Amino acid sequence: MTNTNALTVADRRYVAILLPLTKSLQIDEPAYRCFIQYFLREPRFLETGGLCINPEAGQIFYLTREEKRRVLEIAMEEAHGKVPIFAGTWALTTDETVATARDAKSLGIDGIFVTPPGGAQDVTSCWDADTYPEVWGDMIKAQDRAVDLPIITHPVSGSRPPFAPGLPLNATLQLCREIPNIAGWKMTYAYYEGFRIIANGLRSLDRHVAVLGALGSRFHEYNATGLFDGTLSGFWNFAFEPMLDHLDAWNRGDVKAAAKIWNGGLVQLHEYIADMGRLHTRYQTATWLRGLIPNPLMRPPMPLPRQIEIDSIYDLLHKAGLSVIDKSETKLSALQSRETRYVQV
């Protein structure tokens, strides 16, 4: 991480933690506890990392308010204050989003992770964020009034290139100026132009807002620009060890070592995972193939992986030098059918 400002709670390597489910698509509490401990056993992570609980990667769109609270309770119990925790607050209505933020604050979190509204096209795919920033701004402000905690954003909108799929520049700067508790900006932007414009825009503010890398397949290039204060990324779920090694090499100025790790299978793995139309399915699949969660199941309408995806990810994990489950356990036929999954919800 290359940040010359005083470090804030946002200037860390946050993992957007995914959520393992049982075969009946309920929260797998024992598996979730084990998965969180996987990160907390690493001393380097305790020094530089953080957890984002109930992010998009954690299936927040398909959890009830009670389930979101339970997931966060488990994470807080396991972490014991060892690393900062930000909690996702997304819900279908602003009132429930505020209530979810209050639930999170009552459990002692360090900050909230805010996502734009879902629902009608007016506030999703057809939203003109530069003209109408209040569509999301009002929702963030309502949460801010309720909990007064540091905020990391998950900016997504129907913006045109170069900002797609993130928030455009004018809306980004306006929200940061109007909401001082915004401490970090997740960089959902495509490489390179959109990322560069937004990152430099954030640097132009009269206070520090952390530039948080999201797309793991571009961490090498982002480090080279110096526009990289930390991360909020789901790519950590399945490639934790080489990602730590890669960023540590950058931090000590050993670009040759960083490049060797990067080109030794890590970038190839990340580039395959980074299909935006399959991203979260592939996160879950890769983490399962590592043996870190019991299965790749997600609640519908999130799809099962296809066998070609399973096989491709398995090979890429192996080539990157990462441990994987036995090949005999990776057949799609061994997973539940789509019909069975719908019946069991």
Side-chain angles (χ1 to χ4, degrees):
M1 293 175 287
T2 313
N3 174 33
T4 58
N5 299 277
L7 291 179
T8 71
V9 72
D11 292 291
R12 299 180 73 89
R13 300 165 177 175
Y14 282 94
V15 180
I17 295 281
L18 55 73
L19 181 66
L21 301 178
T22 66
K23 290 185 177 180
S24 60
L25 300 183
Q26 302 305 305
I27 297 167
D28 190 333
E29 294 194 8
Y32 190 53
R33 290 181 186 277
C34 288
F35 189 49
I36 290 173
Q37 287 300 326
Y38 163 66
F39 296 100
L40 297 177
R41 286 193 297 269
E42 170 54 63
R44 290 179 295 169
F45 184 72
L46 297 180
E47 182 180 346
T48 63
L51 302 176
C52 182
I53 306 300
N54 290 327
E56 183 175 8
Q59 305 192 57
I60 190 171
F61 302 130
Y62 310 110
L63 300 179
T64 66
R65 176 182 168 188
E66 292 74 21
E67 286 175 322
K68 294 170 200 170
R69 183 182 178 95
R70 181 56 187 153
V71 167
L72 185 55
E73 284 175 344
I74 294 169
M76 296 298 290
E77 289 169 5
E78 293 300 317
H80 291 298
K82 293 177 181 177
V83 294
I85 290 181
F86 275 68
T89 59
W90 184 91
L92 271 176
T93 67
T94 296
D95 283 349
E96 187 177 344
T97 303
V98 169
T100 304
R102 287 193 172 114
D103 288 343
K105 183 174 184 177
S106 73
L107 294 173
I109 59 164
D110 297 276
I112 57 174
F113 180 55
V114 299
T115 301
Q121 65 183 24
D122 311 50
V123 299
T124 56
S125 59
C126 297
W127 172 37
D128 178 351
D130 268 345
T131 306
Y132 307 107
E134 70 274 12
V135 165
W136 188 23
D138 288 350
M139 177 181 268
I140 301 175
K141 291 173 185 176
Q143 296 173 77
D144 190 33
R145 288 192 297 270
V147 300
D148 188 24
L149 288 169
I151 296 168
I152 294 176
T153 66
H154 184 219
V156 288
S157 70
S159 301
R160 298 182 179 88
F163 302 113
L167 215 66
L169 179 63
N170 291 340
T172 295
L173 298 182
Q174 182 170 334
L175 291 177
C176 288
R177 289 173 180 138
E178 292 181 354
I179 308 170
N181 267 337
I182 291 178
W185 201 265
K186 180 175 177 178
M187 300 299 287
T188 54
Y189 306 88
Y191 181 77
Y192 164 70
E193 195 66 11
F195 184 102
R196 182 184 63 82
I197 293 170
I198 295 295
N200 281 318
L202 293 172
R203 289 285 194 258
S204 75
L205 294 168
D206 60 5
R207 64 184 182 86
H208 177 61
V209 175
V211 176
L212 300 178
L215 191 63
S217 57
R218 292 293 176 261
F219 281 6
H220 195 64
E221 291 88 344
Y222 295 160
N223 267 283
T225 68
L227 299 171
F228 194 79
D229 299 322
T231 77
L232 204 157
S233 176
F235 288 77
W236 289 104
N237 286 291
F238 56 88
F240 181 52
E241 299 88 353
M243 288 175 70
L244 274 179
D245 292 342
H246 173 253
L247 293 187
D248 286 349
W250 267 109
N251 277 1
R252 65 176 182 267
D254 192 343
V255 178
K256 185 176 180 179
K260 183 177 180 181
I261 297 166
W262 189 246
N263 295 315
L266 184 58
V267 67
Q268 293 86 352
L269 170 64
H270 280 339
E271 285 181 341
Y272 183 81
I273 299 295
D275 178 332
M276 292 301 106
R278 302 290 291 181
L279 181 65
H280 296 95
T281 295
R282 292 185 180 184
Y283 280 170
Q284 204 88 0
T285 301
T287 307
W288 161 58
L289 292 173
R290 288 290 321 276
L292 299 172
I293 58 174
N295 62 64
L297 300 178
M298 303 175 77
R299 286 182 176 172
M302 292 302 294
L304 286 168
R306 294 185 175 183
Q307 190 64 54
I308 190 172
E309 291 178 298
I310 295 172
D311 294 342
S312 297
I313 294 170
Y314 189 93
D315 290 343
L316 288 164
L317 288 167
H318 182 72
K319 289 175 182 176
L322 291 162
S323 59
V324 287
I325 61 177
D326 191 270
K327 188 74 169 179
S328 64
E329 301 174 26
T330 66
K331 297 304 178 186
L332 185 61
S333 58
L335 302 175
Q336 294 172 302
S337 70
R338 296 171 190 271
E339 291 78 15
T340 301
R341 293 172 75 220
Y342 277 92
V343 167
Q344 290 180 330
V345 170

